[in-house]
Amino acid sequence: MPTPHKTRPDALTMEVVELIGDVVARFYSDYEDAAAEHALTGAQARLLSLLSLEPLPMRKLAQKLKCEPSNVTGIVDRLEARALVERRPDPADRRVKVAAATEAGLKVARELREGLRFAREPLAGLSPEERESLRDLLRRMRDA
């Protein structure tokens, strides 16, 4: 069976890919700076942000952070030592433990979000209609 001929992406597509990479790098840099203001690593800040939405089991956290469960255990240990996270039994299955943000953790997660320059500067420079359009396009890309 013949192999389908693969075409190279056009110049516009390659420019868009480059720009997405630049935006992602800028976002992560800003996130690292915001985390450092709270004496957190970027990974700790991302985990805390996830837990500010809902308590999650370690395996689910590892999937969302794209890392090994043993790494998540270490991150949770360090956040738990600072009273930002706690382990609780999962209400759906008492044999499973979930990590949950404490009140102090929720406060830090909120401050992290509010401290992101990325949201205040480049995105704030777009009109509400432009942000909606960008959101819709990013959702389409994510869901493709």
Side-chain angles (χ1 to χ4, degrees):
M1 184 180 229
T3 308
H5 179 35
K6 295 188 180 196
T7 59
R8 291 185 162 207
D10 61 273
L12 177 59
T13 299
M14 292 308 298
E15 182 180 3
V16 169
V17 168
E18 283 277 325
L19 288 168
I20 290 171
D22 292 346
V23 168
V24 168
R26 184 170 176 184
F27 172 79
Y28 277 116
S29 174
D30 191 27
Y31 208 88
E32 294 284 336
D33 292 346
E37 290 176 19
H38 294 277
L40 296 171
T41 65
Q44 289 170 335
R46 285 188 292 281
L47 187 141
L48 189 57
S49 291
L50 285 172
L51 293 180
S52 73
L53 302 174
E54 64 179 327
L56 292 168
M58 301 293 193
R59 192 165 301 286
K60 183 67 109 174
L61 281 167
Q63 289 171 348
K64 288 185 175 278
L65 293 172
K66 299 189 182 356
C67 68
E68 293 297 318
S70 60
N71 291 348
V72 169
T73 299
I75 296 168
V76 169
D77 287 345
R78 288 185 286 284
L79 292 172
E80 193 173 36
R82 292 184 54 187
L84 299 175
V85 167
E86 63 187 11
R87 289 176 170 89
R88 302 177 185 159
D90 186 339
D93 184 349
R94 310 271 308 155
R95 297 169 296 174
V96 175
K97 294 277 189 196
V98 296
T102 62
E103 284 302 315
L106 292 171
K107 180 178 183 276
V108 170
R110 187 173 47 257
E111 290 171 358
L112 278 166
R113 276 191 305 277
E114 291 168 358
L116 288 175
R117 287 185 308 276
F118 190 85
R120 288 194 313 268
E121 294 167 7
L123 286 176
L126 300 176
S127 71
E129 295 81 17
E130 289 171 322
R131 287 195 304 273
E132 285 178 17
S133 180
L134 178 59
R135 178 204 59 205
D136 295 345
L137 291 168
L138 290 170
R139 282 180 178 168
R140 276 180 50 198
M141 288 178 69
R142 178 196 65 197
D143 298 340

